[in-house]
Amino acid sequence: MASMAPEAIAQNIVATDLVARALELIPIPAAHLVLTGGQFDLFAMNRAYRLAGLGVVAERSPMIADLGPRIIAFLESQLIRSDFEWVLGDTIDCRYYRVTIARSFVALRDRCTISFVDQTSQIQTERSLRREMTTDSLTGLPNREGFEDLIEGEDRNANAVLAIDIDRFGRLNSCLGSLAGDELLITVARRIKGALRARDTLARIGGDQFGILMGIDSDREEAYALAQRIQRTLTTPFRLTDYEISVECSVGIAYGADEASDVAELIRHAQFAVKRAKVSGRAESYLPQDFAIARAQFSMETALRRAIENRELRLAYQPICDLATGRIVSFEALARWTDLQGQVHCPTNFIPVAEESGLIVPLGRWAIEEAAQTLAGWDARHGAHCGVKVAVNLSAIQLQRDDIAPVLSAALDSTGLTGDRFTLELTESAIVSDPDRIAGTMHALKALGTTLAMDDFGTGYSNLAYLQRLPIDVLKIDRSFVTGMLADRDKVSIVRAILSLAQALGMKTTAEGIETNELAQTLAALGCTFGQGYFYAKPLEAGAAYAMIGAGGDVSPFAPG
Ligand code: C2E
Ligand code: MG
Ligand code: MG
């Protein structure tokens, strides 16, 4: 059989453009062409007959432009079969085919079959699935996976990745409720977008974390400048439900040109830098030691989980005194944790980790049970009611996720204590989060006979309406107002205002952080009911705390006899 000249093939291929156009205009699931000695036969096409009347063959047909050279190359090769993907049409409306060119003998240099299998709908489904998988449904921004895809497509050396973490978002979210939290995230995304340059891209890479891919020409300072613009735009207050919100964020920067083995690691580096930015308050770029810090936080969660399971936590007890008489009325139970390596962790570090990881629920239950056991133990040693109560802290997240009243009730049952031996300390954020649910819990706790105290009062969201509606007995004035109060008129005014508010509402007051006798006396003179602080005692082991009650419970040097 005579071999066909490439020109002849090219000419003959013109005919196949009909097929191309048919494929384009009428989606045909599969088409099959046979090229024989200079002529194309078209057969075995489900709807091939529709090809008729499709019009004149275009001069520059995509079939000729694309497939012609490939068919010629195939015929001239030693191959029996060649498979490839072929895209027909422009990017918006294109169709995707799997093309197979085959022949039975290599010697047949002018005869082959060409099959087209339309894969358009399959590929489109895959693409829209991929799009869905890589888009954050709340903000419409690329999600973490989409962000990785984006970075993958860029020259890493010319780019930086910024990770932006909303400070205290968990707290805001639990205070405002998740719907308002969503709205907050959408607003934050819009604001950040407004601070970007046209060529920067924003993504949402975690619950409260955004990522930016930015081109860096030469000057790394550009990334810091962008970070500052973002911080400025977020601190401008905006309204959300009933609150004026101003959002603070921490920014970590990682440069593509620095060592990061892959895209995921580059993003992680920016996230590690965020952790340091949270401490310094400035935008920080990645340093190799950040990795070690991040690993330490992760291992803290693991170790804390184990410590709770193995009951390695302890409670320390700090006395709360009646300022008028100087007698101890209660002990606040404060969690203490020394890990297996002997390292002591502060509650201000591990309580937020417990809250973030949900470990606060078992931790909180344990604290209630442990405090009840200790108090019952003191009563037993005393031979009767030992004269004091215990105060246990409840975190906002714990109140949302757990049903506290039955937990306390069970602890009372197992120890034989009555509910009036317990004070529960809540923070303002707990109350604002889900007022109806929390009100229900508070009434259930009151029904057990407990005292309810509002902890750290003055630092939260100053919505005072709830104070009247909820069964709160005591306001604990935050330490930040008490420390240094004697040298600061503003602090004195705040403390006075809180005291008169409490008086008007029929509540008692506890001043936190009393470190000197002078402060204790001033607060007593101002009418504050109770006091707590290093002046009386630091948080103590249960045994040492009991010794204070045993000593008569009088810890104030100026107290009346
Ligand atoms: P808080 O409930 O406001 O507890 C008072 C904190 O102030 C304690 O810190 C206490 O040691 C400290 N403090 C008391 N008097 C003074 C003073 O005169 N000067 C100074 N500088 N500090 C004083 P601590 O034990 O580090 O606890 C910190 C916070 O951790 C607590 O603040 C509480 O919010 C939280 N926390 C501790 N234990 C638990 C717990 O079992 N559950 C929950 N949910 N939170 C806990
Ligand atoms: Mg407290
Ligand atoms: Mg407090």
Side-chain angles (χ1 to χ4, degrees), residues 119-131:
Q119 299 182 310
T120 310
S121 70
Q122 183 191 339
I123 286 181
Q124 277 170 347
T125 313
E126 275 168 16
R127 289 201 173 177
S128 71
L129 264 178
R130 174 93 197 135
R131 210 169 17 249

Side-chain angles (χ1 to χ4, degrees), residues 278-524:
K278 280 208 182 289
V279 180
S280 74
R282 291 185 309 268
E284 296 283 355
S285 48
Y286 173 72
L287 296 174
Q289 63 259 36
D290 291 344
F291 180 65
I293 298 170
R295 204 169 45 193
Q297 278 213 350
F298 179 71
S299 61
M300 179 188 261
E301 186 185 316
T302 316
L304 182 60
R305 175 166 288 121
R306 205 186 41 220
I308 295 169
E309 277 165 13
N310 299 345
R311 305 220 151 208
E312 288 164 18
L313 266 60
R314 290 175 300 105
L315 285 177
Y317 297 87
Q318 187 178 33
I320 298 174
C321 300
D322 183 325
L323 281 172
T325 64
R327 291 189 74 84
I328 299 174
V329 290
S330 165
F331 280 91
E332 178 171 4
L334 294 156
R336 293 291 176 265
W337 175 33
T338 306
D339 67 21
L340 293 176
Q341 283 71 43
Q343 191 186 345
V344 177
H345 300 276
C346 288
T348 42
N349 289 334
F350 71 78
I351 295 289
V353 171
E355 288 177 335
E356 248 173 61
S357 57
L359 288 171
I360 194 69
V361 170
L363 190 154
R365 288 181 168 215
W366 163 82
I368 291 174
E369 286 156 16
E370 177 70 17
Q373 294 287 345
T374 303
L375 187 60
W378 290 346
D379 279 0
R381 278 171 77 177
H382 208 74
H385 188 306
C386 72
V388 297
K389 302 181 185 210
V390 280
V392 176
N393 291 283
L394 299 178
S395 101
I397 297 188
Q398 182 189 356
L399 276 160
Q400 269 172 6
R401 298 204 190 157
D402 202 5
D403 202 0
I404 308 290
V407 174
L408 179 64
S409 183
L412 296 176
D413 285 348
S414 73
T415 52
L417 292 169
T418 47
D420 61 354
R421 305 294 298 284
F422 266 83
T423 299
L424 295 159
E425 298 194 359
L426 297 81
T427 51
E428 287 169 89
S429 58
I431 286 163
V432 197
S433 60
D434 185 352
D436 294 337
R437 180 179 151 80
I438 303 301
T441 302
M442 289 174 81
H443 285 290
L445 290 169
K446 276 308 293 176
L448 291 172
T450 62
T451 302
L452 297 183
M454 179 63 45
D455 206 350
D456 307 335
F457 187 74
T459 55
Y461 299 85
S462 318
N463 179 347
L464 296 178
Y466 66 78
L467 276 184
Q468 257 178 316
R469 288 203 308 266
L470 296 173
I472 300 161
D473 307 290
V474 181
L475 293 186
K476 292 191 79 174
I477 307 169
D478 191 67
R479 173 150 55 92
S480 57
F481 305 120
V482 176
T483 308
M485 179 185 119
L486 297 177
D488 188 334
R489 278 162 182 265
D490 290 345
K491 286 187 179 176
V492 176
S493 313
I494 293 170
V495 170
R496 273 182 194 276
I498 297 176
L499 291 173
S500 59
L501 174 77
Q503 204 178 22
L505 295 171
M507 296 172 186
K508 296 189 168 152
T509 40
T510 303
E512 300 180 334
I514 299 181
E515 295 192 3
T516 62
N517 188 9
E518 208 185 350
L519 255 177
Q521 298 205 37
T522 308
L523 284 157

Side-chain angles (χ1 to χ4, degrees), residues 225-261:
L226 176 60
Q228 276 173 359
R229 276 205 305 280
I230 291 169
Q231 283 172 321
R232 262 200 310 276
T233 177
L234 291 184
T235 44
T236 313
F238 49 87
R239 257 203 110 60
L240 201 70
T241 62
D242 286 342
Y243 302 97
E244 278 270 290
I245 306 267
S246 136
V247 174
E248 294 194 358
C249 69
S250 305
V251 184
I253 306 166
Y255 298 96
D258 294 348
E259 91 297 349
S261 58

Side-chain angles (χ1 to χ4, degrees), residues 18-182:
L18 281 174
V19 182
R21 304 199 131 221
L23 296 174
E24 195 171 9
L25 295 172
I26 311 160
I28 291 173
H32 196 54
L33 296 175
V34 179
L35 174 67
T36 47
Q39 133 182 9
F40 286 103
D41 282 344
L42 195 59
F43 71 98
M45 284 173 287
N46 296 346
R47 285 175 282 174
Y49 62 91
R50 296 199 200 181
L51 297 178
L54 274 175
V56 207
V57 173
E59 267 294 286
R60 294 172 56 189
S61 105
M63 266 303 236
I64 292 173
D66 268 10
L67 288 187
R70 291 203 197 208
I71 296 169
I72 292 165
F74 175 80
L75 289 174
E76 288 177 344
S77 77
Q78 298 297 307
L79 296 172
I80 289 286
R81 181 189 167 99
S82 164
D83 291 289
F84 52 90
E85 308 291 332
W86 182 55
V87 184
L88 176 66
D90 55 26
T91 43
I92 299 168
D93 238 356
C94 59
R95 303 201 65 80
Y96 300 87
Y97 290 95
R98 173 106 203 125
V99 179
T100 306
I101 314 177
R103 58 184 156 185
S104 23
F105 303 107
V106 175
L108 293 179
R109 297 190 64 83
D110 61 349
R111 190 185 172 97
C112 67
T113 59
I114 310 167
S115 315
F116 300 85
V117 178
D118 188 343
Q119 299 182 310
T120 310
S121 70
Q122 183 191 339
I123 286 181
Q124 277 170 347
T125 313
E126 275 168 16
R127 289 201 173 177
S128 71
L129 264 178
R130 174 93 197 135
R131 210 169 17 249
E132 225 164 87
M133 276 165 55
T134 55
T135 305
D136 166 44
S137 57
L138 180 68
T139 57
L141 296 171
N143 61 15
R144 190 187 170 107
E145 239 187 301
F147 192 50
E148 286 185 7
D149 288 354
L150 270 171
I151 303 172
E152 206 79 69
E154 291 290 327
D155 169 15
R156 244 196 281 161
N157 284 329
N159 281 282
V161 167
L162 276 69
I164 296 150
D165 198 281
I166 310 300
D167 294 344
R168 295 184 302 126
F169 179 76
R171 205 158 159 193
L172 280 172
N173 202 29
S174 58
C175 289
L176 300 168
S178 57
L179 269 184
D182 286 354

